[in-house]
Amino acid sequence: MTVSNAPQQNSIASVGERVRPVAIGTPVAAVYFIGDRAAFVGDEETITLVSSDGEKVVVTVHGGAILSSVSDGRRIVTGGDDGKVVALDIKGESSVLVTDAKRRWIDNVAVHPDGTLAWSAGKTAFVRGLKGEDKSLEAPSSVGGLAFAPKGLRLALAHYNGVSLWFPNMTAKPERLEWAGSHLGVAFSPDSRFLITTMHEPALHGWRLADAQHMQMTGYPSRVKSMSWGMGGKFLATSGADRVVVWPFASKDGPMDKEPAMLAQLEARVTAVACHPTQDFLAAGYDNGTILMVRLTNGAKVVVRRDGAAPVAALAWNAKGSMLAFALQNGDAGLVDL
Amino acid sequence: MSDVNAPASTKIPVTVLTGYLGAGKTTLLNRILSENHGKKYAVIVNEFGEVGIDNDLIIGADEEVFEMNNGCVCCTVRGDLVRILEGLMKRKGKFDAIIVETTGLADPAPVAQTFFVDEDVQNNARLDAVVTVADAKWLSERLKDAPEAKNQIAFADVIVLNKTDLVSKPELAEVEARIRGINPYAKLHRTERCQVALSDVLERGAFDLDRILELEPDFLKEDDHDHHHDHDDHDHDHDHHGHDDHGHDHDHGLKHYHDEEMQSLSLHSDKPLDQDKFMPWLQELLAAEGQKILRSKGIMAFSGDDDRYVFQGVHMMLEGSRQREWKPDEKRESRLVFIGRELPEALIRDGFQNCIAA
C-alpha cells in the first residue's frame, strides 16, 4: 500500500511555495481574520496578530487559559479561566467586557451579527444586549456550546440531553430540543433551518427547526471538534475521521436518509476544516500536520503542506477568500495566498 | 489524538479524593496543598471556599454524571470533568498533578470511567488512584446505612482511616475488619487529622497496568501483630476451590467480617489459561454482571504465550494489554480479583475453571 500510495500522493498538485511560515511560539487553539490581519488565539494569555507582510503583534488578553473564542470579523471575543470576557478590536486593542464575580471559568462565548454578546460559565448562560443590560438563563447542566441564530435574537445552548433555544428578549420559557447524550459544540445552518450539535460521543446530532425532526450523523471514529458550512450552507464539512466527512444540506430534508461525501482520505485524522467563503472547496488539516485543499464537488486535492510536528489546530479564510491562515497545536503557523 | 500511545509519564496524574461527609477530605486536601513539597496541584472541588489555600488552579465542579449513549446504565462519566480537564490541559506545565475531590455522597465510578471512555482525557491525563478518607468513629455505622460510604470503601486503592484518636483499640480493630471485609486490597493508613505521608496517597500508580499487580490483600504484608492471621489464599498447592478472602482460619481472635452486600473475590490458577476461552468469558461476565462488579484486576498466564497479560476494569469498562514477557524465574500463574456487590461467586468460579487450558 505504501509503495503504491507514495507516488500517487506526490503527484498531487501543491501550493507549498505560497506558504509563508509564521512561528507563534506557543500552542495555538484558534485562528481568525480580523480586518486584514490573521489572529492566532493561544491556549494561554495571548492573541498574536500577523499582517500579510508577516509583521507580528502579541496582545495579552487573559491571565490564564483562553477557554473559548469567537469572531464576527470585526472583533475577537475570548473567554478565560480568569473569569473574564475580553474583546480584541480591529486595531488590536483589547478591552475587558465581563468579569465574573465568582471568577468562574468562561467556557463559551458567542456574538450576534448585531453585536449582542453571549457567554457561559458552568450552567449559567448570559446575554448582554446593545443597551448593556445582562440577562441570564440556567441550563439543566453545564453549557457545552453557545450559538446565535443568524436572524432574530435567539441563542442556542447545548447541554446534556439536548439544546435549549432561548429568546432573551421574550419572557417565554426556552424551547427544548431533546436528544440523549452530552452536546458540546452547536451551530445553526446559515439559513437558520437546521441546528447541529457535536456530541461527546463521536457523532453529530441535528434538528430541522421547523418540525424538530432529528438527524443522526454517526460513524465517526473520534469526537467531531471542527465543522464548517460550505457554499452558503449547502454542505457541512466535519473533522473526526481519516477523511473529510461532508453532509449535504441543500435539500429541504438536509442529510436525512442521505450518505455524506467522504473526501481526501489519508492515514491520519482530520482535526480542522474550513470551507472557502465563496468557492466550492475547503481546507482540511490532519493530525499529522498535513493540510490539503479539497474540492467539495469532486474531491480533487491540492497539498498546502505535508507533515508537521503537531496536529493542525485551526484553519481560517479571510473574508474575500484570498488568504488561508493555519496553525498547528504547537504554534507552527503560516499564511497561504491563493 | 496523536498521543494515544504516549508514555504514561507524560500524562498528568489525577488523584480522586473521596470519602463520606465529615470524614476529613478537606483536611487532607489542605494538607496536600500546604505541605512544602515543591509541587503544584490543580484541584477540582465541589464546593468553593472550603479549601483555605490560595491557588488560582482551584476549580469548582458541578459533579454532573452523564450516561453514555450505549444503552448501558452503569457507563457513566463526569461531563463537567471532561470540560474542566480539557481547559486545564491548556495550562499544561503550570501544575504537576490534578486532584479531584468528590462530594461525600458521590460514587467514584463515573470519575474513574471518565478516564476509560474519553479519548482526550486518556491522551492527556491518567488516573493515579482513588483515595478514600474514612472516619474511624462513624464508618461502621455508615456502612450499615449509607450505600455511598460502602461504595467508596470498595472502590478505594488507598484508604485513609482518619480520626483514630477518637476510638478505642477494639473499636479501631472493628472498623478495620469491616473495611477488610469489603476491600482487602486497598492500602490502609491510620491517621489523626489526616496526618499521612503524601507519598502514601499521591503518585500511587494504582491504575497503571504495570503496577496493578500487587494483588495480595494489603494486610497480609503489613507488619502488624493485630493483623497476623493465617490466610490460605496464597497457598498455591491447594486446589482452587474455596480460596477466597473470607477464609476462616484466624489466630488471634481478630473479627473477620463478611459484608453481606459488598465482597471481594480472588481467583487463582497455576495452570495456564486458554486465551480463546478466557477473553470471551471475561467480556461476557462484565457485560452481564458489570453493574455489580465495581473493580476488577488480573494478571493472566495464557498457554502458548510468553507474555503476561494484565487488565483492569471499572464496572463494564475494561482495559488490558500484553504487558511483558514472563521472567525466567517467575512463576507463571494467573490471578484475578473482583470487588463488587452480591458477586455471583459460584458462577464466576465455575466460569474461570472452564478457562483453564486443556
Side-chain angles (χ1 to χ4, degrees), chain B residues 53-119:
Chain B
I53 308 294
D54 186 31
N55 179 344
D56 65 340
L57 287 168
I58 292 180
I59 305 114
D62 293 315
E63 207 144 285
E64 294 170 345
V65 176
F66 290 174
E67 277 175 33
M68 300 297 289
N69 271 355
N70 56 7
C72 157
V73 291
C74 64
C75 288
T76 50
V77 300
R78 278 276 303 274
D80 57 332
L81 201 52
V82 172
R83 171 177 65 89
I84 290 167
L85 289 172
E86 193 175 320
L88 274 177
M89 289 311 151
K90 289 174 176 277
R91 304 198 70 188
K92 246 181 167 175
K94 300 289 192 298
F95 54 92
D96 305 289
I98 298 170
I99 299 168
V100 182
E101 184 200 28
T102 70
T103 60
L105 298 174
D107 175 2
V111 180
Q113 289 176 162
T114 305
F115 291 82
F116 281 71
V117 180
D118 189 90
E119 190 181 30

Side-chain angles (χ1 to χ4, degrees), chain A residues 29 43-44 64-67 81 105 107 123 141-142 160 180-182 200-201 222-223 225 269 287 311, chain B residues 1-2 56 59 62 64-69 77 80 82-84 86-88 90-91 94 118-120:
Chain A
D43 268 356
E44 290 184 277
I66 303 174
L67 300 172
D81 72 358
W105 287 15
D107 301 309
K123 291 181 188 177
S141 66
S142 288
Y160 184 46
S182 176
H200 179 247
E201 283 135 66
S222 69
R223 235 161 87 182
K225 293 183 187 166
R269 202 163 278 180
D287 67 355
Chain B
M1 249 165 269
S2 55
D56 65 340
I59 305 114
D62 293 315
E64 294 170 345
V65 176
F66 290 174
E67 277 175 33
M68 300 297 289
N69 271 355
V77 300
D80 57 332
V82 172
R83 171 177 65 89
I84 290 167
E86 193 175 320
L88 274 177
K90 289 174 176 277
R91 304 198 70 188
K94 300 289 192 298
D118 189 90
E119 190 181 30
D120 293 327

Side-chain angles (χ1 to χ4, degrees), chain A residues 40-97:
Chain A
F40 296 89
V41 179
D43 268 356
E44 290 184 277
E45 296 179 5
T46 59
I47 296 177
T48 304
L49 294 162
V50 180
S51 60
S52 57
D53 58 11
E55 191 193 320
K56 278 196 290 189
V57 177
V58 179
V59 185
T60 299
V61 288
H62 287 281
I66 303 174
L67 300 172
S68 49
S69 65
V70 67
S71 176
D72 57 8
R74 299 187 297 272
R75 59 178 178 162
I76 295 169
V77 174
T78 54
D81 72 358
D82 55 0
K84 291 186 165 65
V85 178
V86 176
L88 183 74
D89 68 16
I90 208 156
K91 289 176 281 187
E93 283 166 15
S94 72
S95 51
V96 176
L97 303 180

Side-chain angles (χ1 to χ4, degrees), chain A residues 70 108-110 144-150 154-159 162-165 177 183-199 204-209 215 217 224-230 233 235-238 249:
Chain A
V70 67
N108 298 285
V109 286
L146 287 178
F148 278 109
R154 181 164 49 156
L155 184 69
L157 294 71
H159 45 71
V163 174
S164 294
L165 291 173
L177 297 169
H183 299 263
L184 300 174
V186 58
F188 286 90
S189 64
D191 59 9
S192 287
R193 286 195 301 139
F194 300 100
L195 184 75
I196 311 297
T197 61
T198 60
M199 298 196 65
L204 304 179
H205 196 79
W207 291 266
R208 183 166 60 193
L209 290 171
M215 296 174 279
M217 291 168 270
V224 179
K225 293 183 187 166
S226 176
M227 50 183 184
S228 173
W229 294 98
F235 298 99
L236 179 68
T238 59
F249 275 84

